[in-house]
Structures are given as structure tokens and as C-alpha cells.
């Protein structure tokens, strides 16, 4: 599996291309970086977490977020097999998402501004 870097990073060899586990990690990062309805040629693609921006930071919200993420990211990110997910809040406006997948784990911290 190959994927272009979602930030279109450039090296001396040209655009950065990720392979296998780095490609999955890159695609998950890209999914979280783009809200649904913000990509012109594919408006259905991207995270659907905006409704949770002002939700209370508790276990019920974490479970709802985990379900929402698993359902949507499984449709959008090709080749991703989720083995486990955990949402928590290490700070008042910071959400941590850890997704365990077939190529390891992706650990992201998102601020409320990014939702």
C-alpha cells in the first residue's frame, strides 16, 4: 500500500510517499484533519466529529465518539482494519484518540478547534 503524504511534504526526491504502516497512519491522520463536507470533490469523506465539540468529557461521550469514529473511518479509509480504539481527554480542550489497527497504532491529539 502506498499513499502520498497528506500534507504534501516534499523531499529532494519529490513528493513524500508513505509505504504500508506509514501509509495507514498517514491516511488516518488525513481523515482526522478533514471534517466531512470540506473536500470539494468528495464531500462525504472525512471525520464526523463536529457535533461532539461541546459534549461533556465523560465516558458516555467517549463511547459515542468511538462508535462514530469506527463506523465512519471504516467506510472512508481503504485497507484499515480497526482492532481497538480509545478516546480520552488529557486536557480540557484536547481529545486523545488511539486507534489500534493491523499495522500498529495511531495516536492523535486533537483540539476542539480541529473538530
Amino acid at each position: 500500500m502506498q499513499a502520498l503524504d497528506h500534507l504534501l511534504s516534499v523531499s529532494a526526491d519529490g513528493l513524500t510517499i508513505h509505504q504500508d504502516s506509514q501509509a495507514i497512519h498517514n491516511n488516518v491522520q488525513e481523515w482526522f484533519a478533514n471534517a466531512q463536507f470540506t473536500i470539494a470533490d468528495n464531500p462525504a469523506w472525512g471525520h464526523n466529529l463536529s457535533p461532539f465539540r461541546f459534549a461533556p468529557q465523560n465516558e458516555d461521550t467517549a463511547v459515542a465518539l468511538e462508535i462514530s469514529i469506527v463506523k465512519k473511518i471504516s467506510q472512508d479509509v481503504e485497507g484499515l482494519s480497526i482492532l481497538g480504539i480509545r478516546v480520552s481527554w488529557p486536557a480540557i480542550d484536547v481529545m486523545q484518540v488511539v486507534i489500534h489497527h493491523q499495522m500498529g497504532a495511531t495516536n492523535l491529539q486533537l483540539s476542539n478547534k480541529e473538530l
Side-chain angles (χ1 to χ4, degrees):
M1 168 181 246
Q2 293 184 336
L4 282 175
D5 185 81
H6 78 280
L7 299 175
L8 296 178
S9 300
V10 178
S11 67
D13 299 326
L15 287 173
T16 303
I17 297 175
H18 297 287
Q19 304 287 332
D20 300 324
S21 64
Q22 283 300 321
I24 292 286
H25 179 69
N26 176 70
N27 292 344
V28 169
Q29 284 183 314
E30 182 179 11
W31 187 82
F32 278 101
N34 293 289
Q36 194 174 18
F37 308 118
T38 59
I39 298 177
D41 62 336
N42 192 358
W45 195 90
H47 75 76
N48 56 350
L49 307 180
S50 299
F52 295 99
R53 179 178 283 167
F54 301 111
Q57 297 176 350
N58 58 32
E59 192 63 28
D60 292 337
T61 303
V63 170
L65 276 161
E66 292 163 2
I67 291 168
S68 182
I69 291 167
V70 169
K71 286 175 72 174
K72 185 74 168 78
I73 201 169
S74 296
Q75 296 170 359
D76 291 351
V77 178
E78 238 178 90
L80 178 67
S81 295
I82 296 176
L83 305 175
I85 185 169
R86 184 66 186 133
V87 172
S88 60
W89 291 272
I92 189 88
D93 274 348
V94 178
M95 180 175 70
Q96 181 170 5
V97 180
V98 180
I99 298 176
H100 296 276
H101 47 77
Q102 76 274 23
M103 298 284 195
T106 301
N107 187 344
L108 301 161
Q109 288 196 347
L110 309 165
S111 70
N112 270 356
K113 292 183 262 179
E114 295 173 297
L115 297 181

